[in-house]
Amino acid sequence: MSGKPRVWISRPTFPDVVARLDEHFEVVEEPHEVKFSSAELAAKLADCDAAIVGLKEHIGAAEIADAKRLRIVANLGVGYDNLDLDALTAAGIAASNTADVLNESVADYAWALMLGAARRVGPAERWLRAGQWKATEFTQWLGMDMRGRTLGILGMGRIGQAIARRAIGFGMPVIYHNRSRLPESIERECAARLVDKTTLLRESDFLMLVLPLTAESRHAIGAAELASMKPTAMLVNIARGGIVDDDALAAALAGGKLAAAALDVFEGEPAVHPSLLALDNVLLSPHIASASHGTRRAMTSLAIDNVIAMFGFGPQAGRPPTLLNPAALVSSRFDLHSKN
Ligand code: GLV
């Protein structure tokens, strides 16, 4: 290849972090957040050797049809339901995510949402800003206590575990449901007990969703699941829109079948179900659980590490550190160890 390989970055990130690419790559970073059509995405991907993308870029067979030079798609997110891994692997294109660097920030935010909704921070602040605080009433703005209440976690990967560890300080017993049981040492450290999904739904006072969106987990929480929860319970979704049936959730919240919800993600976001917008017993936030200064920079840096390694540069040359589809390297059209 003549000249430097080109890296396309689908959104503005952090110039000083991206500068690490300059030695070996030509970098083209979009100056604005744009929702690209499939055809626009295909044109962008056809014109680069590596792409750093985010969750709003859905990349499958159609988008890579003309991407003859593309070697790696590095996703700015731990979840990668926006990537069709089979299509990428079949084309010999590597994919990576930003696993682990965001665990603690996301766990912090999960608690921020849960506590905020429990203590009604959102409506109380709106009320204050609207100039309605004329007197302090002793029995106004009563919320939920945490201590002694059961925290249920659906999906007990590293983020779920980080959330569970924080529960110890709040004096909350933790139950979890996961595809597989955690090693006993981790269960002990998180003070968490494995239960089946039915028990999780029935016993949780706060139900935290931390699982990836897959065909299997779509609408894992629908009308039937909501009906089996305590009417005094709260649902917290920091995972992905689509895991919860938002229609059913809005109905349960409006009908008093569920006390509250705290949501960072939505079906069809950035659109939010209009009935959820109208309810005061749900705290809504715009998909920002990983959005701390340090973590968003670390995510960018990890995506860059993956690109650099893919092109045979840096200490991890040839082994993108958070590669999702090792099979793509086997079937790759490219000589992965060439220095271009
Ligand atoms: C954010 O939603 C992520 O998957 O990192």
Side-chain angles (χ1 to χ4, degrees):
M1 184 188 297
S2 61
K4 291 176 173 180
R6 178 178 298 162
V7 182
W8 175 61
I9 307 179
S10 65
R11 59 201 358 89
T13 58
F14 303 95
D16 58 316
V17 180
V18 168
R20 283 181 50 219
L21 286 166
D22 290 343
E23 184 184 352
H24 298 295
F25 300 91
E26 175 198 351
V27 178
V28 180
E29 185 173 80
E30 292 295 325
H32 309 291
E33 286 281 353
V34 174
K35 173 73 181 148
F36 296 105
S37 68
S38 170
E40 287 168 335
L41 211 41
K44 297 284 184 188
L45 296 175
D47 200 30
C48 64
D49 303 277
I52 297 178
V53 303
L55 307 178
K56 70 176 160 50
E57 280 84 50
H58 288 259
I59 299 178
E63 290 74 23
I64 56 172
D66 297 325
K68 304 297 178 218
R69 295 155 48 190
L70 185 63
R71 292 187 180 197
I72 181 166
V73 174
N75 211 35
L76 288 167
V78 62
Y80 50 88
D81 44 284
N82 56 315
L83 304 182
D84 180 340
L85 276 199
D86 289 341
L88 289 167
T89 304
I93 298 169
S96 62
N97 69 350
T98 54
D100 286 341
V101 292
L102 42 63
N103 296 346
E104 300 301 326
S105 299
V106 172
D108 286 347
Y109 196 75
W111 277 92
L113 271 187
M114 185 160 56
L115 292 167
R119 299 305 298 271
R120 306 175 65 195
V121 172
E125 200 217 24
R126 289 194 288 280
W127 177 82
L128 181 154
R129 284 183 188 271
Q132 292 176 285
W133 190 13
K134 307 292 183 213
T136 299
E137 290 183 33
F138 190 62
T139 56
Q140 202 179 8
W141 297 117
L142 306 182
M144 302 175 178
D145 281 318
M146 313 302 284
R147 184 160 294 275
R149 301 285 159 85
T150 298
L151 172 62
I153 301 180
L154 184 57
M156 196 65 158
R158 299 255 170 81
I159 296 173
Q161 293 164 34
I163 292 168
R165 264 185 248 110
R166 286 156 172 76
I168 296 167
F170 284 90
M172 296 175 73
V174 176
I175 53 179
Y176 74 95
H177 182 66
N178 200 40
R179 269 180 313 211
S180 52
R181 185 173 180 177
L182 296 177
E184 235 173 90
S185 57
I186 297 184
E187 279 190 345
R188 215 173 310 116
E189 190 199 324
C190 296
R193 180 168 60 86
L194 179 70
V195 295
D196 59 32
K197 188 176 168 190
T198 308
T199 307
L200 187 84
L201 292 167
R202 197 181 54 227
E203 293 189 1
S204 296
D205 295 301
F206 295 85
L207 178 60
M208 178 74 70
L209 308 180
V210 206
L211 64 176
L213 177 63
T214 60
E216 219 177 42
S217 69
R218 186 171 294 281
H219 286 190
I221 303 294
E225 289 75 18
L226 292 164
S228 68
M229 291 176 67
K230 297 178 184 181
T232 51
M234 177 193 295
L235 180 72
V236 188
N237 189 4
I238 51 141
R240 271 295 178 278
I243 293 172
V244 177
D245 176 345
D246 283 353
D247 234 355
L249 175 61
L253 289 164
K257 305 274 189 267
L258 189 71
L263 308 171
D264 188 44
V265 289
F266 305 88
E267 278 190 296
E269 62 188 50
V272 176
H273 195 296
S275 305
L276 292 175
L277 288 171
L279 290 168
D280 252 2
N281 54 346
V282 50
L283 181 56
L284 307 168
S285 96
H287 201 151
I288 55 171
S290 67
S292 74
H293 288 286
T295 292
R296 284 283 162 93
R297 294 172 71 86
M299 290 165 69
T300 307
S301 192
L302 180 53
I304 287 169
D305 288 343
N306 278 280
V307 169
I308 288 176
M310 187 68 196
F311 282 79
F313 302 118
Q316 289 164 302
R319 293 187 312 278
T322 46
L323 181 66
L324 296 167
N325 57 346
L329 303 196
V330 177
S331 64
S332 181
R333 304 165 282 179
F334 304 105
D335 171 6
L336 298 171
H337 300 287
S338 83
K339 295 280 196 272
N340 302 292

